[in-house]
């Protein structure tokens, strides 16, 4: 199986942190003046330093850069120069294995059987402890009854149903979704680079929520290192 990920594969990605968007973008999503990448497929890289593989063009990718900024805000800056275990545990992927700017406005692709399989295959491969959906429609796609059932077969039963949180803010407000399963937490954000009016200041209102999610993620991974091959107890999520 060809992995639908944007970087190298590392052992740390088992039970890792998954960043999942709609599909591979390009064009206007990457910002004006950004050149086409010169790809060196032999170069090892993490999400934090994809320029090692894709060249200087990767340093200007708006989607990536905004997510990196959010990690900074959440008290967990990503090390570009010397990625460690946390950076290597990050899996960047997309629900779809296709490429179009802003899905060409057609989000029905998320329900196509081959794209659902693409997403579920990545979940089966890595069994992530934490999934960050980058796009509000992704949580709807997950909650398709058939997809949800298959997801629970991998990530355990839902232990905390989806809850949407909207913070008070003078500018445009967005909802962020939180949901927990026996072996996985899911957070759903608006799309970082195509949500009109989305500000980093608004996302910063969720800093405490995300600091808690990431701390819980790190605790769960410590358990997995202590007891290799075991799924951690859902009690750790309380």
């Amino acid at each position: 199986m060809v992995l639908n990920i944007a970087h190298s594969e590392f052992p740390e990605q088992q039970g890792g942190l998954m960043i999942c968007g709609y599909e591979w973008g390009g064009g206007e999503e990457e910002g004006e003046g950004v050149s086409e990448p010169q790809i060196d497929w032999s170069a090892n890289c993490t999400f934090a330093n994809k320029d090692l593989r894709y060249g200087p063009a990767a340093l200007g990718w708006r989607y990536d850069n905004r997510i990196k900024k959010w990690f900074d805000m959440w008290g967990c800056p990503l090390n570009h120069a010397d990625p460690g275990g946390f950076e290597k545990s990050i899996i960047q992927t997309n629900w779809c294995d296709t490429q179009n700017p802003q899905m060409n406005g057609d989000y029905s692709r998320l329900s196509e059987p081959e794209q659902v399989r693409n997403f579920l295959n990545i979940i089966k491969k890595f069994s992530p402890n934490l999934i960050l959906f980058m796009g509000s429609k992704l949580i709807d796609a997950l909650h398709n009854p058939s997809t949800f059932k298959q997801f629970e077969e991998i990530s355990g039963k839902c232990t905390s149903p989806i809850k949407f949180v909207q913070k008070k803010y003078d500018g445009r407000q967005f909802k962020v979704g939180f949901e927990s399963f026996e072996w996985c937490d899911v957070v759903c954000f608006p799309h970082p680079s195509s949500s009109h009016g989305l500000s980093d200041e608004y996302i910063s209102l969720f800093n405490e929520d995300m600091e808690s999610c990431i701390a819980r993620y790190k605790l769960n991974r410590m358990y997995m290192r202590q007891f290799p091959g075991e799924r951690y107890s859902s009690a750790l999520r309380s």
Side-chain angles (χ1 to χ4, degrees):
M1 179 180 70
V2 177
L3 292 176
N4 187 36
I5 60 176
H7 42 65
S8 304
E9 187 177 353
F10 299 97
E12 291 87 347
Q13 291 162 350
Q14 290 301 317
L17 189 164
M18 177 179 288
I19 298 169
C20 182
Y22 291 120
E23 66 175 354
W24 304 108
E28 62 185 28
E29 289 190 357
E30 305 303 355
E32 295 181 4
V34 176
S35 60
E36 287 294 319
Q38 301 298 313
I39 303 175
D40 177 4
W41 292 111
S42 67
N44 282 329
C45 69
T46 67
F47 172 72
N49 60 356
K50 285 161 59 179
D51 55 297
L52 296 180
R53 174 174 294 181
Y54 299 96
L59 298 174
W61 290 345
R62 292 190 301 159
Y63 176 84
D64 287 16
N65 288 339
R66 200 163 203 195
I67 293 172
K68 291 174 186 176
K69 185 174 183 180
W70 290 357
F71 273 97
D72 286 346
M73 289 163 24
W74 300 334
C76 197
L78 302 182
N79 192 327
H80 174 274
D82 186 21
F86 180 79
E87 288 81 9
K88 290 178 180 178
S89 78
I90 295 175
I91 308 139
Q92 185 196 4
T93 187
N94 288 294
W95 187 285
C96 303
D97 62 2
T98 48
Q99 181 172 15
N100 292 287
Q102 299 182 13
M103 295 284 289
N104 280 340
D106 180 13
Y107 293 93
S108 67
R109 190 176 302 121
L110 298 173
S111 62
E112 293 177 357
E114 60 270 31
Q115 303 307 338
V116 173
R117 282 195 299 271
N118 173 72
F119 170 72
L120 292 173
N121 283 339
I122 294 292
I123 299 298
K124 290 175 185 175
K125 170 69 177 178
F126 294 107
S127 298
N129 284 342
L130 176 59
I131 298 174
L132 305 183
F133 279 140
M134 297 295 171
S136 60
K137 293 179 174 59
L138 290 167
I139 200 69
D140 297 330
L142 178 65
H143 278 259
N144 173 283
S146 174
T147 305
F148 195 78
K149 180 178 182 293
Q150 294 177 77
F151 182 82
E152 283 191 310
E153 290 172 356
I154 306 166
S155 300
K157 294 295 183 182
C158 181
T159 57
S160 180
I162 186 69
K163 177 183 178 182
F164 291 101
V165 179
Q166 184 169 293
K167 305 282 189 177
K168 292 183 178 179
Y169 183 63
D170 289 339
R172 186 174 179 187
Q173 302 172 17
F174 294 80
K175 293 179 180 179
V176 174
F178 296 87
E179 188 166 24
S180 291
F181 299 79
E182 289 178 277
W183 305 313
C184 181
D185 288 329
V186 175
V187 184
C188 184
F189 289 97
H191 193 276
S193 60
S194 64
S195 297
H196 298 296
L198 177 64
S199 69
D200 294 328
E201 185 178 23
Y202 180 73
I203 293 297
S204 73
L205 299 178
F206 293 88
N207 283 359
E208 289 187 11
D209 304 277
M210 289 309 302
E211 287 168 6
S212 296
C213 283
I214 293 172
R216 189 161 58 246
Y217 166 73
K218 291 180 177 180
L219 178 63
N220 293 333
R221 288 184 61 78
M222 287 176 60
Y223 180 90
M224 293 176 68
R225 287 195 296 271
Q226 187 175 357
F227 303 101
E230 292 188 21
R231 305 301 293 263
Y232 52 86
S233 169
S234 60
L236 287 174
R237 299 194 178 284
S238 60

